[in-house]
Coordinates of all heavy atoms in Angstrom, one line a residue:
T1454 N 1.9 5.1 0.7 CA 1.6 6.1 1.7 C 1.9 7.4 1.0 O 2.8 7.5 0.2 CB 2.4 6.0 3.0 OG1 3.8 6.0 2.6 CG2 2.1 4.6 3.7
Q1466 N -7.4 22.8 -14.1 CA -6.6 21.8 -14.9 C -6.3 20.5 -14.1 O -6.6 19.5 -14.6 CB -5.2 22.4 -15.4 CG -5.3 23.6 -16.4 CD -5.4 24.9 -15.7 OE1 -5.7 25.0 -14.4 NE2 -5.3 25.9 -16.5
R1467 N -5.9 20.7 -12.9 CA -5.7 19.6 -12.1 C -7.0 18.7 -11.8 O -7.0 17.5 -11.7 CB -5.1 20.0 -10.7 CG -4.8 18.8 -9.8 CD -4.1 19.2 -8.6 NE -2.7 19.6 -9.0 CZ -1.9 20.2 -8.3 NH1 -2.1 20.5 -7.0 NH2 -0.7 20.5 -8.7
A1469 N -9.5 18.5 -13.7 CA -9.9 17.9 -15.1 C -9.0 16.6 -15.2 O -9.5 15.6 -15.5 CB -9.7 18.7 -16.2
K1476 N -12.2 8.3 -13.8 CA -13.1 7.6 -14.7 C -12.5 6.5 -15.6 O -13.2 5.8 -16.1 CB -13.8 8.6 -15.6 CG -14.8 9.5 -14.7 CD -15.5 10.5 -15.6 CE -16.4 11.3 -14.8 NZ -17.2 12.3 -15.7
G1479 N -8.2 2.0 -16.9 CA -6.8 1.5 -16.9 C -5.9 2.7 -17.0 O -6.3 3.8 -17.0
E1485 N -3.3 10.8 -23.8 CA -4.7 10.4 -23.6 C -5.4 11.3 -22.6 O -6.5 11.8 -22.7 CB -4.8 9.0 -23.2 CG -4.5 8.0 -24.3 CD -4.3 6.5 -23.9 OE1 -3.8 6.3 -22.6 OE2 -4.7 5.7 -24.5
C1487 N -4.5 14.3 -21.6 CA -4.7 15.7 -22.2 C -5.9 15.7 -23.1 O -6.8 16.6 -22.9 CB -3.4 16.1 -22.9 SG -3.4 17.8 -23.3
V1508 N 4.0 16.2 -10.3 CA 3.7 16.6 -8.9 C 2.8 15.6 -8.2 O 3.1 15.2 -7.0 CB 3.1 18.0 -8.9 CG1 2.6 18.4 -7.6 CG2 4.2 19.0 -9.4
A1511 N 4.8 12.4 -7.5 CA 5.7 12.6 -6.3 C 4.9 12.6 -5.0 O 5.6 12.2 -4.0 CB 6.5 13.9 -6.5
L1514 N -0.3 10.4 -5.0 CA -1.6 10.3 -5.5 C -1.7 9.5 -6.8 O -2.8 8.9 -7.0 CB -2.2 11.8 -5.7 CG -2.3 12.6 -4.5 CD1 -2.7 14.0 -4.9 CD2 -3.3 12.0 -3.6
R1516 N 0.4 6.8 -9.7 CA 1.4 5.9 -9.9 C 1.8 5.8 -11.3 O 1.0 5.8 -12.3 CB 0.9 4.4 -9.4 CG 1.9 3.3 -9.6 CD 1.4 2.0 -9.2 NE 0.1 2.0 -8.7 CZ -0.5 1.2 -7.8 NH1 0.3 0.3 -7.2 NH2 -1.7 1.3 -7.4
E1519 N 4.7 1.4 -16.2 CA 5.6 1.2 -17.5 C 5.0 -0.1 -18.1 O 5.1 -1.2 -17.5 CB 7.1 1.0 -17.1 CG 7.6 2.2 -16.4 CD 7.9 3.4 -17.3 OE1 8.0 3.2 -18.6 OE2 8.1 4.5 -16.9
A1525 N 5.3 5.9 -20.6 CA 4.7 5.8 -19.4 C 3.3 6.1 -19.3 O 2.8 7.0 -20.0 CB 5.5 6.6 -18.3
H1537 N -2.0 -5.6 -15.7 CA -2.6 -4.9 -16.8 C -2.7 -5.8 -18.1 O -1.9 -6.7 -18.2 CB -1.8 -3.7 -17.1 CG -1.7 -2.7 -16.0 ND1 -0.7 -2.6 -15.1 CD2 -2.6 -1.8 -15.6 CE1 -0.9 -1.8 -14.2 NE2 -2.0 -1.2 -14.5
R1541 N -2.8 -4.9 -28.4 CA -1.8 -4.6 -29.4 C -2.4 -3.9 -30.6 O -1.6 -3.5 -31.5 CB -1.1 -5.8 -29.7 CG -1.8 -6.9 -30.4 CD -0.9 -8.2 -30.6 NE -1.7 -9.3 -31.1 CZ -2.1 -9.3 -32.4 NH1 -1.7 -8.5 -33.3 NH2 -2.8 -10.4 -32.8
R1553 N -2.8 -13.5 -9.5 CA -3.0 -14.9 -9.2 C -1.8 -15.3 -8.3 O -0.6 -15.2 -8.6 CB -3.0 -15.7 -10.4 CG -4.2 -15.3 -11.4 CD -5.5 -15.9 -10.7 NE -6.6 -15.7 -11.4 CZ -7.7 -15.0 -11.1 NH1 -7.7 -14.5 -9.9 NH2 -8.6 -14.8 -11.9
R1554 N -2.1 -15.8 -7.1 CA -1.0 -16.3 -6.2 C -0.3 -17.5 -6.8 O 1.0 -17.5 -6.4 CB -1.8 -16.7 -4.9 CG -0.9 -16.9 -3.8 CD -0.5 -15.7 -3.1 NE 0.7 -15.8 -2.3 CZ 1.5 -14.8 -2.2 NH1 1.5 -13.7 -2.8 NH2 2.7 -15.1 -1.5
V1560 N 7.8 -19.6 -8.5 CA 9.2 -19.2 -8.3 C 9.9 -20.4 -7.7 O 9.6 -20.9 -6.7 CB 9.3 -17.9 -7.4 CG1 10.7 -17.4 -7.3 CG2 8.6 -16.8 -8.2
P1561 N 11.2 -20.6 -8.2 CA 12.0 -21.7 -7.7 C 12.4 -21.4 -6.2 O 12.5 -20.4 -5.7 CB 13.3 -21.6 -8.6 CG 13.0 -20.9 -9.8 CD 11.8 -20.0 -9.3
E1567 N 10.4 -9.9 -4.4 CA 10.2 -8.6 -3.8 C 9.1 -7.8 -4.4 O 8.4 -7.1 -3.7 CB 11.5 -7.8 -3.7 CG 12.6 -8.5 -2.9 CD 13.9 -7.7 -2.9 OE1 14.1 -6.9 -3.8 OE2 14.8 -7.9 -2.0
H1569 N 6.6 -7.7 -8.4 CA 6.4 -8.3 -9.7 C 5.4 -7.5 -10.4 O 4.5 -6.8 -10.0 CB 5.9 -9.8 -9.6 CG 4.6 -9.9 -9.1 ND1 4.2 -10.0 -7.7 CD2 3.3 -10.1 -9.7 CE1 3.0 -10.1 -7.5 NE2 2.3 -10.2 -8.7
C1577 N -8.2 -6.4 -27.2 CA -9.3 -6.1 -26.3 C -10.7 -6.4 -26.9 O -10.8 -6.7 -28.1 CB -9.3 -4.5 -26.0 SG -9.8 -3.5 -27.3
H1582 N -14.2 -7.5 -31.4 CA -15.6 -7.5 -32.1 C -15.6 -6.7 -33.4 O -16.3 -7.0 -34.3 CB -16.6 -7.0 -31.1 CG -16.9 -8.0 -30.1 ND1 -17.4 -9.3 -30.4 CD2 -16.8 -7.9 -28.7 CE1 -17.6 -9.9 -29.2 NE2 -17.2 -9.1 -28.2

Side-chain angles (χ1 to χ4, degrees):
T1454 58
Q1466 293 93 346
R1467 179 171 294 163
K1476 291 180 178 179
E1485 290 171 324
C1487 189
V1508 169
L1514 294 173
R1516 177 183 0 212
E1519 301 285 343
H1537 299 97
R1541 63 181 175 80
R1553 299 291 181 235
R1554 192 80 199 142
V1560 174
E1567 293 178 342
H1569 67 279
C1577 72
H1582 289 300

